[in-house]
Amino acid sequence: MKRKRLSFKGSLLTGGVLFGLIVLLGVLAPWVAPHDPLQVDLLKRLAPPSQSYPFGTDHLGRDVLSRLIYGIRTSVLIACVITAATLFVSLPIGLLIGYVRGRVDRLIMRGIDGVLAFPDIILTVAIVGILGPGFVNMTLAVIAVRWAGYVRYIRSLVQKTCQEDYMRYARLSGNSHLRILRRYVLPQILSQLLVYAVWDVGRVVLMIAGLSFLGLGVQPPKPEWGVMLHDATSYFQVAPHVMIFPGLAIMLFVLACQLLGDRFSEKGAAK
């Protein structure tokens, strides 16, 4: 039991440190980045890692490390905005259908099942393909796809909460439906919902990187991890560092979100 507890704390600490460090680097990007991420120097193109350029340079001579650090601001910030917007849209719908149930619940859930029947990335690519590439259209497309999963999860949490004994007392005490939702249901599900959102930020970063890699998301020359991977595909054999480091950045951030989400979820379940 003690060994399991130490393993749990170690994983949670690892996820928290990784997440915090990556976010802190993004916040301090103007002071931490050694070079201008947009500065082009063709004389230094595809330079290997060195003292001046710890992660080397890309095909235009731009510092890979600086672009990675500034890319945190783009990739992680967009992912957090999308997650917050998705949560804002999904929360009232999930609360309503989970609490009221009945015909409205069945009708909305059939539509949600239809959305969830398609893989996220395929449906997102289809929507962006219709709207056109770009930051705004990518954001709208990701929200349009991800809200369904949030509504389904919120609905399940609300229905589980409504089965508790104190909910019966709340109804018998003459509380209005709105007061019950605001005072008794929402506080009970909020912590689990935030854990789900933290875990989902990693998935959104992956989706943003995938769309940018395909040329449908963030557009060059803005530093973004998916854009960096896209630019590196033609040079991987001669300068593998231009693709390895952006891939590692994505992997580490997704790992941090996964560790935080899983461990907080296990902690909540243990209680």
Side-chain angles (χ1 to χ4, degrees), residues 218-232:
V218 179
Q219 301 298 304
K222 194 173 184 64
E224 194 273 333
W225 295 340
V227 171
M228 294 178 69
L229 286 174
H230 175 268
D231 292 341

Side-chain angles (χ1 to χ4, degrees), residues 78 82 106 121 147 156 166 187 200 202 230 233-234 237 247 253 266:
I78 293 175
I82 288 176
R106 291 193 295 270
I121 188 65
W147 74 275
S156 66
Y166 68 86
D200 197 51
H230 175 268
T233 52
S234 302
Q237 292 185 345
F253 184 78
E266 289 177 13

